[in-house]
Amino acid sequence: MRKTLIATTIASALILSACSSDETTKTAEEGAAQVQDMNANNVLFKPSPLQYMAPEFDKFGTKDYEAAFDAGIAQHTAQIEAIANNPKPATFENTLVKMELSGELLNRVSAAFYNLSGLISDDEYQRIDEKMAPVLSAHSDDIYLNGALFKRVQTIYDNQDKLNAEDQRLVDFYYKQFVKAGAKLNDAEKAKMREINSELAQLSTAFSQNILKSYKEDVIVVTDKSKLAGLSEGEIAGLAASAKKAGKDGYMITLVNTTQQPILSSLENRDLREQIFKASANRAAKTNGPIIIKETNLRAQKAELLGYKDWASYVMTSRMAQTTDNVYGILDDLAPKAVEKAKIEAAAIQKVINDSGENFELKPWDWTFYAEKVRAEKYNLDPALVKPYFEMQSVIHDGLFFAMNKLYGITFKERKDLPVYHEDVTVYEVFNADNSAIGLFYLDPYAREGKRGGAWMSAYVSESGLKGTKPVIYNAQNIPKPAAGEPTLMTFDEVSTMFHEFGHAAHGLFSDVKYPSLAGTATARDFVEFPSQANEDWMIEPMVLANYAKHYKTGEPIPQALLDKVLESQKFNQGYGTTEYLAAALLDMEWHSFGSDEKITDVQKFEQDALEKHGIAYYPVPPRYKSNFFSHTFAGGYSAGYYAYLWTEVFAADAFAHMENNGGLTRKNGDKFRKEILSKGNSRDLMQSYIEFRGQKPTTDALLKRRGLVE
């Protein structure tokens, strides 16, 4: 999924990016110049001299952030005050365009800090994050609760008729941002809003830091190698290397961000599987439980202050779904179908358990292990025979890059001359078919200490026609790093994730929008996952597979019979996958569908009650994320928005089916998708962008087939 690493507490401040004009910012420039003299060695104080303004990773570190933050906030504050207090009548150019061109230093340091804090975090990053969260929240409030500034925005909003469509889109964007932030509140209400925002910023940061601590502390160390039966020697060597690096004896198993752990599909030792599952399910419960209760109450208070019955209703004002009823409608419609299919799958798994001579009832920690046995029996498929055909470098160059070349005509050139923040990172310059430059793409594939879980995309520099900037984008994954000298053999799911995340990267790289606030992936949450999900399916396009799915030792292509089994098996276990996702999405919605007067005291009880309410409390299939480590909703931008993955999958499945029916992997399809979807960002109505591409609104037909819920 896309992970916006500009923290949600400061996101609204950071949409106001770049430099200001001479007319309005003389004071700000003088102040910034003084600070620059004091911090001559801090490269964050000036634009990077590298091509595309790529970050000078080798020239700054944690010691540089705080001074740059302080100066950036001071500069931005002066710029905003100059705009708000401009004696000339409000115009689109002297107000909104100036706001788009404000905050250059703050944007630069924020992009560097909040991206790297998720990639190479340590105690110092966490200290700075904790310190800056309320400061940046207050700075955002200073902008959006500025009465004089909102008056100018209101004037422009009321007189936008003569503006072009993209300018009107920016006007509408800003007006809604101000109103949603509380610009129409009275002074007492604004003061309350500031208190709430400050506390929410601190709580969200604390939740995130507790998760980071959990990745380091909630590990499972195995000293008896025999307990690791089922793993390959390479996997065991990787666990040994992880333990050694952490200063521990034995074999160290580190948790990933989801409730279920991939390693459970291979481990034969049931006691160890149970230990790992429970460590995963219960992590950060004591530290994050109180945060969840306080955070959801504050969000409810904020929504009520703005005139909404609950946080979910407030959030829907900027989503394609529009209402909570629409969201619950689609989730509740699919839930019984998913659970019914999951129970059928469970019966098949229980039969395998019984037939093996075991005498126990299926539990969550058994599911993936025995599901693989069912898969092997049903499809005669051994996952260990598949991974050798998905060697990472082949997947990247002969799979992903090959597909993107066929679809969009783009090429990738490695740039070893540019600095990186970690040895695992590779930088590529991206070019159009005519060799014109697009921007930079950084790939950071491996898991490591200090890197948060999951996979995501973000930007160090966003595209903007107004500022003349080209995109500098990165993708991050958490693929286990093999022992030195061993190849990186990927699972089918890891390959899918790599294609998914590059769909986000393409959305950022192909952006062709004037205003930064509307560029690239700056769309509604229930649209932004559409391009990434649509990109996943190219990994199994026959021409692409034939080019990259080759044995890493022999170079032989994956046998057609094995490939057929792999592809056929992808609809296997979809009852489980859909149920765990829907459970998390419904849980997220329920946490944000009550008023501030409702007192929650027990997180686990609330979670169980919520799942039972929607008929999806099926014990063998826990939510994909349990509340205590549900970073999407409590530390990310997906509160009352995790449903977006399903919502956008409707678009993705429909779009891919349409392209398949019209030639498949062709430049014609790619160029149209790029022109109508990827290049437009949020510069026009999002449904209209889809209609311009597809010719009609999407239907759910392709989604149901894709998930194997209908034949």
Side-chain angles (χ1 to χ4, degrees), residues 116-136:
L116 292 176
S117 67
L119 294 162
I120 53 172
S121 183
D122 57 19
D123 290 344
E124 188 63 2
Y125 268 103
Q126 292 180 37
R127 181 192 67 78
I128 298 170
D129 192 8
E130 187 174 1
K131 174 185 175 181
M132 294 309 304
V135 175
L136 289 163

Side-chain angles (χ1 to χ4, degrees), residues 482-494:
E486 294 294 321
T488 303
L489 304 181
M490 301 173 66
T491 67
F492 193 88
D493 286 345
E494 288 167 345

Side-chain angles (χ1 to χ4, degrees), residues 274-309:
E274 181 178 2
Q275 181 186 353
I276 294 169
F277 176 84
K278 289 184 175 179
S280 173
N282 296 321
R283 63 188 131 143
K286 291 182 179 179
T287 53
N288 279 344
I291 291 175
I292 292 168
I293 291 170
K294 184 64 175 176
E295 192 171 346
T296 51
N297 179 266
L298 285 169
R299 285 175 174 172
Q301 288 184 47
K302 181 174 178 176
E304 290 165 1
L305 198 57
L306 293 166
Y308 298 91
K309 67 176 183 176

Side-chain angles (χ1 to χ4, degrees), residues 221-476:
V221 178
V222 179
T223 55
D224 182 355
K225 184 180 178 181
S226 67
K227 290 184 177 181
L228 300 176
L231 301 184
S232 69
E233 284 301 318
E235 289 169 328
I236 293 172
L239 297 181
S242 296
K244 184 177 180 180
K245 187 174 182 180
K248 301 179 184 296
D249 294 326
Y251 309 87
M252 189 173 80
I253 299 169
T254 304
L255 300 175
V256 302
N257 62 328
T258 53
T259 303
Q260 280 289 13
Q261 301 296 302
I263 198 171
L264 298 183
S265 65
S266 301
L267 285 172
E268 296 175 7
N269 188 296
R270 189 169 189 245
D271 289 338
L272 180 57
R273 292 202 307 267
E274 181 178 2
Q275 181 186 353
I276 294 169
F277 176 84
K278 289 184 175 179
S280 173
N282 296 321
R283 63 188 131 143
K286 291 182 179 179
T287 53
N288 279 344
I291 291 175
I292 292 168
I293 291 170
K294 184 64 175 176
E295 192 171 346
T296 51
N297 179 266
L298 285 169
R299 285 175 174 172
Q301 288 184 47
K302 181 174 178 176
E304 290 165 1
L305 198 57
L306 293 166
Y308 298 91
K309 67 176 183 176
D310 52 45
W311 180 259
S313 299
Y314 163 73
V315 164
M316 292 304 148
T317 60
S318 59
R319 300 274 167 80
M320 293 186 76
Q322 298 183 326
T323 70
T324 58
D325 285 345
N326 287 339
V327 175
Y328 279 119
I330 190 171
L331 297 179
D332 284 331
D333 179 59
L334 284 174
K337 299 182 180 72
V339 173
E340 180 182 1
K341 181 133 189 171
K343 288 181 177 179
I344 294 172
E345 293 167 356
I349 292 172
Q350 188 67 58
K351 183 177 185 302
V352 169
I353 294 172
N354 297 341
D355 289 348
S356 69
E358 300 285 355
N359 183 29
F360 59 81
E361 183 181 355
L362 172 66
K363 302 293 185 184
W365 49 89
D366 301 314
W367 188 292
T368 57
F369 179 75
Y370 286 97
E372 285 305 318
K373 292 184 178 297
V374 175
R375 188 200 302 265
E377 180 180 312
K378 184 173 182 179
Y379 301 101
N380 193 24
L381 179 64
D382 181 356
L385 297 178
V386 178
K387 289 178 69 174
Y389 294 95
F390 293 141
E391 189 275 324
M392 188 170 74
Q393 292 305 314
S394 180
V395 170
I396 294 169
H397 295 278
D398 302 327
L400 177 62
F401 290 176
F402 172 81
M404 297 303 96
N405 174 260
K406 292 297 182 183
L407 197 60
Y408 303 115
I410 62 175
T411 54
F412 299 78
K413 176 185 177 183
E414 187 172 350
R415 291 289 302 271
K416 294 184 178 181
D417 58 311
L418 293 174
V420 293
Y421 53 86
H422 192 277
E423 63 183 5
D424 291 341
V425 179
T426 307
V427 191
Y428 301 93
E429 188 172 6
V430 189
F431 298 92
N432 284 308
D434 62 2
N435 291 321
S436 60
I438 297 175
L440 293 176
F441 172 62
Y442 292 66
L443 181 61
D444 183 354
Y446 292 121
R448 59 177 172 269
E449 186 176 326
K451 186 178 185 181
R452 65 186 177 85
W456 65 94
M457 162 272 182
S458 193
Y460 288 101
V461 181
S462 295
E463 179 275 333
S464 168
L466 180 66
K467 298 189 297 179
T469 54
K470 292 184 180 296
V472 178
I473 305 295
Y474 76 87
N475 280 168

Side-chain angles (χ1 to χ4, degrees), residues 29 61 97 99 154 204 207 399 422 462 486 605 629:
E29 289 175 352
V97 173
M99 290 176 71
Q154 180 80 62
S204 176
F207 189 99
H422 192 277
S462 295
E486 294 294 321
K605 184 178 186 306
F629 50 90

